[in-house]
Amino acid sequence: MTNDEIKAKVLAALAAVAPELEPDQLAPGANLRDELDIDSMDALNFLVGLSKAFGIDVPEADYRKLSTLDAIVGYVAARIGKR
Amino acid sequence: MGEFVLPKLGADMSRGRLVEWVKKPGERVARGEVIAVIETDKANVEVEAYDSGTLEKILVAPGSEWLPVGTPLAVIGGEEVQSAPAPEVPRAPPTLPVSAPRDSPPAPAPRAPARAPEAPRPPVRPREAPRAAPAPRAAEGARLHVSPAARRRAQALGVDIATVRGSGPDGRIVLEDVEAAARGASLAAPVPAADKRTRMREAIAAAMARSKREIPHYYLATTIDLGRALAWLASYNAARPVTERMLYGVLLLKAVALALRQVPELNGFWIEGHAQVSEAVHLGVAISLRGGGLVAPALHDADKLALPELMTRLQDLVTRARASSLRSSEMTDATITVTSLGERGVEAVYGVIYPPQVALVGFGKVVTRPWAVDGAVRPREVVTATLSGDHRASDGHRGGIFLDALDRLLQEPENL
Amino acid sequence: MAKLTYREAVRAAMREAMAADPRVFLMGEDVGLHGGAFAVSMGLFEEFGPERIRDTPLMESTFVGAGIGAAVGGMRPIVEVMTINFSLLALDQIVNTAAALRHMSGGQLSVPLVVRMASGGGRGLAAQHSHSLEGWYAHVPGIKVATPATVADAKGLLLAALADPDPVLVFEHATLYPMEGEDADDTPMTLGRAAVRRAGDDVTIIAYGGSLPKALAAADALAAEEIAAEVLDLRTLRPLDVEAIVASVAKTHHAVVVDEMWRTGSFAGEIAAIIMERAFDELDAPVARVASAEVPMPYSKPLEDAALPSAEKIVAAARRLFS
Amino acid sequence: MTLERLPPHAPAIERDHAHQLLRQMLLIRRFEERTEERYAAGKIRGFLHVYIGEEAIAVGAMRSLTDDDAIVATYREHGHALARGVPAGALMAEMFGKANGCSRGRGGSMHMFDASRRFYGGHAIVAGGIPFAVGLALADKMQGQSRVTACFFGDGAVAEGEFHESMNLAALWKLPVLFMCENNQYAISTPLATSHSEPDLHLKARAYRLPSEAVDGMDVCAVETAVARAAASVRRGDGPYFLEFRTYRFRGHSMGDPQRYRAKEEVAQWEKRDPIVQFIDRLAREGLVTDVEIAAMERDVANEVAWSVEEAEQGPWEPVEDLEKDVYTPTDG
């Protein structure tokens, strides 16, 4: 899975919790929580989406690593790679 | 034979728009089943049927214009109307004590089972007469002819009397018109279309203005050590996949629900000058909507649900709230509201009570503070819990007992 | 329970009271051998003799006044005034003395007097024998006003009046005298309690005395139109059972007050005001009144019928509340 | 109206008895003079009808009645109440509207009651008390009591229907009533001759077959004797009796009466027959009273009146919460 493919799936999962998301306007390094008004429930739902899309389970300890789109793509890539 | 009318789904709802018919003409409808989706100023709501029978005729097509509360939407007929049992209805317990006065249940109550005792009341007169010849609506600015009983009931139910069409003599709005409007049944002039967000703002404005106008609020705050609760939750979540994890907010909700058992007068309504304590605990969870506004749908029987079940329900509720697909009963029968603004760094919330409820519990952000433990100052994770109470229904002393109970419950998360 | 007429029930109460208490006696015009203008005291003269069944000259003011004096003097007089219109000759004694004596003596004197009189129209007795003025008396603090509408009440309320330490006026609607009904049981009645004669959810018909049968007939007719009328019999106008009125209106949210008094200044107006004061928020429609036409009672039957409340008028008034 | 002399009437009288009559008349006179003064001072409200000039009737009549007899009076009843023995303090307090008044301040000057002394008011509807008295007598007769109900009323009442009805009923039923008409010549401003086709009022009772007499109401001894005779007849069971006392009120009908209806000379002429002055003259003539005794009596009466004013002044007001008390008889439960 390429990073772009990963990014597309991540954006899809994000869009599920933030429907008004316009991917083009989301800066890769922007803090998602602030940018998209994500709260803990959204975050959890997003992680559930990630889990379904990539078959990975994100432990609570890793939540703080997933602050930007870039960080998420990198984290997912690393997790997929590890398998 | 029954009319299915545009129901009143909240104290501040005066109109709605039909989004979708879930049931089709000819289909069986059981009381409590979702029959249609209605757009309100706040959300899209799945509306349940009040009568069992056959959906005989649809009177309003989806996508129609805004309709006043009470507008007939469909005809439900069939031999089993009213006499049919409602085994399909998942939850039977009425929201309010059965002994409540006849005209007690406010808007929050009209969930099918709770309505049952009132349902058999025979019509005072043939329905057709007033319906066939509705009187013209009072001219703009002219005094509405409203019977005193209707006026009082409208106030209790939060029905905007100006949107109710009178069926009484000379077009007077009578009790039945208001009651019909509350569950749905009259006509009114269309309200000019407005931006959805503006409409929601207006709806919130009406409810909150009424609250501040009528409710003598008192405010209490306490700081609760969440250390044990968060540690317990971390170990709980660590052992589970993301789909089974809980948010700490669930602990707060459960603790609130249980604390209410100790101070029941915070859980219920103030109607017509009297407090009505609710036996059931339906937590209205304030959910902010993306792009502004908020709804506070009910988590039914929160005191009786195990934490994982509560989490599932909360997740479902938030998701549906944000997808505008709440059910009518969820919109109307919360017995207290809980709001948390900690996500955005707020330390304490002094909330405005949602009438006719009598209390609101607020939580701020979990922060780490120096805390004296066993004589030594230690950093601890704490949260500020606040209570806004209706001083007509309870006193600060009782509110204090509630917050104290909340604190103690949160010190034993394993027992929640 | 035995059946008897309203007239017999009044007589039975007087007989029972006189047999039980030597202080009780009856006086009035033609109450003796003649047995009373409405034959209510028939037979009592033979039974109790002229000392206790006293024929008086025609002097309403003085024999009512003498009744007051006798009551203060330790007796339990029943004074029969032939008709309500004649009672106006005794209005001075009733209002200025009987009603006032206790208060103006600073509580030293009570007047245990019962004044009975035939009231109401419907019998072709025209403008000086037929009126309904009981509300005038009910206006006056210090006296009590009973308006029995059933056979049982004719007896029970009269006995209650005789047991009362204060002056009680009992208005016997003359059309009720031949009415048959169940005798009262032995439970003592209390003045000031209304009775629901028929239960219903949609409209309260408030009536008393001769209007009760009309109200019940109207309720029957309304039932056919799916209007469930509750019929409240006031039984006494003073003390008035305000709570019963409020409770019924709170249940039905509609009220029709039936009163044979002339509409202007009628007792029905008082009832309507009480409902306004005490149950305004319960109302779903204005209080309706069915009262007598504003005319001295005419003699001709069609005119008298038109002047008086009727079941049809009550039905129409109730119906108007809904349409 | 000219002064009409009735036959002189001077039976022998005991010294103590005479002093008691004199003292009572003086008490009524001084008490009422004080009420006029207190009325002017604004302490007494409403109407105030004084009895000054007519004292001989109440005093003489009460002397011939027993404690067991009943008294029914009119709105001009201060004298009757005092003569009956109602304490002056209770009467003055009643006029002040105080709770220690004989009617707890509910009645005032016109409605004085003392049930313990069988003093039944205080009736201010002219002739309204007469049927009431007939009823009291009826009760006595039916209960086999041999007592008298004495009913006082004025000449004005004789024009009322209730007077005639009551004469008729009392005579018809032979009731033990003693009708006592205090004919003071005026019904407020209307002179007797303008009110009555037959100004000889006692004759009216004859039409109802009542024994009746006219008595000099300015002569306390004449009143006493006549009432004793009449009461004895009534007590015997001979039925009602009618006495007409010819008298005169020296004051207006009530306070503030300009008295345009009568000449000052007429009043002055009657004042020469003041019942107190006349009685003192007679007693002095007969050596039954001395100036010193009269002075002592006056002093004693003045003290009693002063004390009554003190009681009235110091008396409590009925609490307003008790406004609606005593409309109905309290019952248990």
Side-chain angles (χ1 to χ4, degrees):
Chain A
M1 201 177 292
T2 67
N3 272 13
D4 280 352
E5 285 167 342
I6 293 172
K7 186 175 175 179
K9 285 191 177 186
V10 168
L11 283 172
L14 269 180
V17 298
E20 74 283 13
L21 168 71
E22 292 183 30
D24 298 346
Q25 293 180 4
L26 183 64
N31 185 301
L32 292 177
R33 187 170 158 276
D34 298 339
E35 201 71 17
L36 299 179
D37 198 16
I38 300 276
D39 66 10
S40 56
M41 185 62 81
D42 295 328
L44 188 65
N45 286 334
F46 169 63
L47 290 174
V48 171
L50 281 190
S51 143
K52 283 180 183 159
F54 302 105
I56 57 169
D57 197 80
V58 182
E60 273 197 319
D62 291 350
Y63 285 6
R64 55 188 176 79
K65 298 177 185 168
L66 310 180
S67 56
T68 67
L69 184 57
D70 276 356
I72 295 166
V73 173
Y75 179 86
V76 171
R79 288 291 306 275
I80 295 172
K82 276 180 191 167
R83 270 195 316 201
Chain B
M1 178 75 70
E3 266 178 347
F4 173 72
V5 297
L6 180 60
K8 171 104 181 160
L9 301 172
D12 44 3
M13 171 173 170
S14 60
R15 60 190 183 143
R17 180 147 62 187
L18 189 77
V19 175
E20 178 192 350
W21 283 107
V22 175
K23 294 285 181 181
K24 294 182 178 56
E27 272 192 272
R28 282 270 303 128
V29 181
R31 197 160 64 170
E33 257 189 312
V34 172
I35 181 170
V37 178
I38 303 290
E39 180 186 358
T40 74
D41 289 343
K42 285 190 164 185
N44 283 2
V45 180
E46 292 178 344
V47 177
E48 298 147 26
Y50 297 109
D51 297 315
S52 297
T54 305
L55 180 55
E56 285 192 342
K57 190 178 177 190
I58 282 174
L59 304 173
V60 174
S64 60
E65 62 194 36
W66 286 96
L67 301 167
V69 159
T71 306
L73 301 176
V75 177
I76 297 176
E79 65 298 340
E80 301 147 296
V81 172
Q82 288 186 348
S83 61
E88 308 90 333
V89 177
R91 291 182 308 103
T95 316
L96 292 163
V98 179
S99 62
R102 175 183 180 275
D103 46 10
S104 62
R111 194 172 162 76
R115 276 190 67 254
E118 282 210 352
R121 188 163 181 259
V124 161
R125 56 192 177 278
R127 269 265 151 258
E128 290 70 25
R131 292 270 175 268
R137 196 175 142 70
E140 206 59 46
R143 184 170 163 77
L144 285 172
H145 293 286
V146 187
S147 83
R151 195 178 290 279
R152 185 177 60 159
R153 191 68 57 88
Q155 195 182 7
L157 298 178
V159 172
D160 178 359
I161 205 81
T163 66
V164 178
R165 167 142 262 184
S167 70
D170 303 324
R172 183 185 302 113
I173 297 165
V174 297
L175 194 58
E176 285 218 343
D177 297 330
V178 173
E179 289 180 336
R183 43 175 210 266
S186 98
L187 298 166
V191 179
D195 168 63
K196 182 161 184 163
R197 193 179 300 179
T198 308
R199 292 195 316 264
M200 172 174 281
R201 221 43 266 165
E202 286 168 353
I204 293 170
M208 294 299 100
R210 178 184 160 204
S211 176
K212 279 292 194 177
R213 189 171 60 243
E214 294 178 4
I215 301 179
H217 287 69
Y218 66 84
Y219 304 99
L220 307 175
T222 191
T223 306
I224 297 175
D225 180 354
L226 275 190
R228 285 183 53 87
L230 293 175
W232 178 85
L233 185 66
S235 79
Y236 177 94
N237 283 344
R240 286 171 174 77
V242 69
T243 49
E244 293 174 23
R245 285 176 204 157
M246 289 192 294
L247 298 173
Y248 80 89
V250 172
L251 301 183
L252 300 181
L253 290 172
K254 185 67 187 291
V256 167
L258 292 177
L260 285 173
R261 288 183 180 171
Q262 295 182 37
V263 190
E265 61 263 46
L266 297 176
N267 184 55
F269 310 103
W270 183 268
I271 293 165
E272 294 174 10
H274 299 285
Q276 292 175 3
V277 172
S278 168
E279 283 175 4
V281 177
H282 301 326
L283 298 181
V285 183
I287 299 170
S288 57
L289 301 183
R290 309 193 64 76
L294 82 156
V295 290
L299 258 179
H300 291 126
D301 298 313
D303 57 329
K304 296 184 180 129
L305 298 178
L307 289 173
E309 175 68 10
L310 197 56
M311 178 63 200
T312 307
R313 295 274 185 93
L314 177 66
Q315 204 160 6
D316 175 54
L317 203 58
V318 173
T319 305
R320 286 190 293 109
R322 290 181 176 162
S324 289
S325 62
L326 292 169
R327 288 160 184 257
S328 50
S329 59
E330 291 164 344
M331 290 292 283
T332 54
D333 59 6
T335 56
I336 185 171
T337 299
V338 182
T339 183
S340 172
L341 291 178
E343 302 269 2
R344 281 290 166 259
V346 168
E347 286 204 18
V349 186
Y350 296 93
V352 181
I353 296 168
Y354 186 65
Q357 294 168 22
V358 295
L360 179 141
V361 179
F363 291 102
K365 181 188 184 184
V366 178
V367 293
T368 303
R369 291 262 186 261
W371 201 251
V373 181
D374 298 333
V377 175
R378 306 225 175 87
R380 296 299 283 243
E381 289 165 298
V382 299
V383 70
T384 300
T386 55
L387 172 72
S388 304
D390 182 338
H391 220 322
R392 298 171 302 181
S394 67
D395 302 320
H397 174 73
R398 299 289 293 161
I401 290 173
F402 168 81
L403 287 179
D404 187 49
L406 187 61
D407 190 340
R408 277 186 287 102
L409 286 160
L410 285 167
Q411 301 316 312
E412 296 179 354
E414 60 278 13
N415 294 333
L416 283 173
Chain C
M1 208 65 73
K3 287 255 184 191
L4 71 172
T5 64
Y6 187 98
R7 174 186 287 117
E8 288 163 346
V10 176
R11 187 186 306 147
M14 291 196 289
R15 179 184 291 119
E16 191 175 305
M18 282 198 282
D21 186 346
R23 299 175 302 171
V24 178
F25 70 99
L26 173 69
M27 67 174 159
E29 295 156 359
D30 307 301
V31 298
L33 263 181
H34 185 62
F38 294 93
V40 173
S41 58
M42 193 80 81
L44 296 182
F45 183 83
E46 290 81 350
E47 197 173 341
F48 293 98
E51 269 291 298
R52 297 183 70 194
I53 306 295
R54 290 181 167 259
D55 276 322
T56 65
L58 310 189
M59 44 169 67
E60 284 78 8
S61 185
T62 287
F63 68 69
V64 169
I68 297 166
V72 170
M75 301 298 285
R76 291 282 175 158
I78 305 169
V79 174
E80 178 177 310
V81 177
M82 198 179 289
T83 81
I84 192 169
N85 292 70
F86 306 169
S87 79
L88 301 190
L89 292 162
L91 200 55
D92 161 54
Q93 286 297 331
I94 295 170
V95 176
N96 285 323
T97 306
L101 208 50
R102 179 171 176 82
H103 187 260
M104 73 182 181
S105 70
Q108 295 182 75
L109 303 178
S110 291
V111 185
L113 168 72
V114 172
V115 181
R116 294 176 36 242
M117 63 188 89
S119 66
R123 297 159 295 139
L125 295 182
Q128 293 184 338
H129 287 68
S130 303
H131 291 132
S132 290
L133 307 170
E134 51 280 343
W136 292 6
Y137 292 102
H139 176 64
V140 182
I143 53 182
K144 300 182 181 181
V145 171
T147 54
T150 68
V151 169
D153 276 5
K155 184 173 168 190
L157 289 180
L158 181 51
L159 288 172
L162 278 164
D164 199 278
D166 295 311
V168 184
L169 308 190
V170 183
F171 294 86
E172 297 160 5
H173 197 283
T175 59
L176 299 177
Y177 283 131
M179 180 180 73
E180 275 209 331
E182 299 259 302
D183 197 358
D185 61 23
D186 292 336
T187 317
M189 291 184 182
T190 306
L191 302 177
R193 305 263 168 81
V196 174
R197 300 295 186 194
R198 177 194 177 111
D201 284 332
D202 296 329
V203 58
T204 301
I205 302 176
I206 298 166
Y208 65 88
S211 295
L212 180 66
K214 298 172 184 177
L216 289 169
D220 284 342
L222 288 165
E225 301 178 24
E226 286 194 42
I227 296 177
E230 176 147 307
V231 177
L232 187 69
D233 175 8
L234 295 175
R235 301 174 75 225
T236 61
L237 304 188
R238 184 188 270 268
L240 182 64
D241 194 344
V242 172
E243 301 310 321
I245 295 167
V246 170
S248 184
V249 173
K251 181 170 121 181
T252 65
H253 309 288
H254 300 84
V256 177
V257 191
V258 188
D259 186 358
E260 228 186 89
M261 294 185 73
W262 290 298
R263 173 178 298 266
T264 302
S266 63
F267 196 73
E270 175 64 22
I271 302 283
I274 285 170
I275 294 171
M276 229 74 81
E277 288 170 344
R278 293 284 308 273
F280 180 76
D281 287 326
E282 298 291 355
L283 289 176
D284 217 358
V287 176
R289 282 190 289 168
V290 178
S292 284
E294 308 266 335
V295 59
M297 198 60 68
Y299 164 72
S300 117
K301 179 156 174 56
L303 290 182
E304 185 179 32
D305 288 348
L308 291 167
S310 64
E312 293 70 29
K313 290 177 190 172
I314 299 167
V315 168
R319 211 185 273 138
R320 272 196 300 275
L321 300 181
F322 297 106
S323 56
Chain D
M1 180 86 201
T2 54
L3 186 148
E4 185 187 355
R5 287 226 174 243
L6 289 161
H9 198 102
I13 187 164
E14 298 279 327
R15 185 185 180 88
D16 285 355
H17 183 171
H19 283 204
Q20 285 165 15
L21 295 177
L22 179 57
R23 189 189 181 285
Q24 281 199 322
M25 288 198 288
L26 275 174
L27 175 64
I28 295 169
R29 177 70 57 92
R30 303 299 171 233
F31 178 87
E32 288 201 308
E33 285 168 354
R34 196 62 190 277
T35 65
E36 290 178 313
E37 180 250 315
R38 291 288 80 193
Y39 189 94
K43 291 286 186 179
I44 297 172
R45 53 208 304 270
F47 287 140
L48 183 73
H49 312 91
V50 296
Y51 194 55
I52 290 173
E54 308 181 37
E55 297 93 338
I57 302 168
V59 170
M62 295 304 170
R63 185 79 201 185
S64 291
L65 295 167
T66 72
D67 288 349
D68 214 21
D69 295 333
I71 313 298
V72 178
T74 68
Y75 52 87
R76 195 185 300 283
E77 84 282 31
H78 312 154
H80 307 83
L82 283 169
R84 185 64 179 181
V86 182
L91 298 174
M92 190 66 86
E94 185 59 33
M95 283 189 248
F96 275 52
K98 297 296 187 70
N100 56 334
C102 60
S103 304
R104 295 193 68 76
R106 305 297 177 98
S109 164
M110 298 193 284
H111 303 299
M112 292 173 158
F113 289 83
D114 187 342
S116 69
R117 291 180 171 82
R118 304 204 79 216
F119 187 78
Y120 293 114
H123 295 260
I125 304 296
V126 174
I130 305 177
F132 177 72
V134 169
L136 283 172
L138 173 62
D140 281 345
K141 185 178 166 89
M142 291 185 77
Q143 294 171 105
Q145 303 265 13
S146 68
R147 53 194 187 186
V148 174
T149 297
C151 181
F152 293 88
F153 49 89
D155 47 289
V158 174
E160 294 274 4
E162 284 180 330
F163 165 82
H164 296 271
E165 294 179 4
S166 295
M167 292 296 116
N168 185 31
L169 191 65
L172 206 56
W173 288 358
K174 286 194 140 206
L175 300 179
V177 199
L178 178 45
F179 295 104
M180 297 201 274
C181 175
E182 299 175 309
N183 174 8
N184 67 14
Q185 321 296 332
Y186 290 91
I188 303 189
S189 71
T190 309
L192 200 65
T194 315
S195 281
H196 295 277
S197 59
E198 172 51 85
D200 215 354
L201 299 181
H202 77 282
L203 293 180
K204 295 184 190 248
R206 299 268 173 88
Y208 302 104
R209 301 199 166 194
L210 266 73
S212 75
E213 303 171 36
V215 181
D216 181 358
M218 308 307 265
D219 178 346
V220 67
C221 296
V223 172
E224 185 183 340
T225 312
V227 172
R229 188 168 55 242
S233 164
V234 171
R235 221 180 293 282
R236 268 199 310 275
D238 292 347
Y241 206 104
F242 183 94
L243 294 174
E244 178 201 346
F245 302 105
R246 306 262 163 94
T247 185
Y248 198 81
R249 60 171 154 77
F250 294 173
R251 302 292 205 265
H253 170 72
S254 62
M255 294 292 288
D257 176 359
Q259 302 184 58
R260 281 190 289 268
Y261 48 85
R262 63 185 187 184
K264 284 197 172 63
E265 295 73 31
E266 180 187 305
V267 180
Q269 206 177 0
W270 273 95
E271 278 174 345
K272 287 180 193 155
R273 296 202 53 221
D274 183 321
I276 296 175
V277 174
Q278 275 197 122
F279 191 47
I280 288 175
D281 283 353
R282 177 192 161 183
L283 293 180
R285 259 197 327 270
E286 296 178 12
L288 292 173
V289 72
T290 66
D291 286 352
V292 174
E293 283 171 332
I294 292 168
M297 214 178 274
E298 285 276 16
R299 189 184 174 84
D300 182 41
V301 163
N303 275 336
E304 188 170 342
V305 171
W307 184 247
S308 77
V309 173
E310 194 62 23
E311 277 189 64
E313 289 279 5
Q314 299 300 326
W317 295 104
E318 185 88 321
V320 172
E321 303 83 76
D322 287 347
L323 170 66
E324 293 180 15
K325 207 175 119 187
D326 293 333
V327 176
Y328 294 100
T329 307
T331 47
D332 298 332

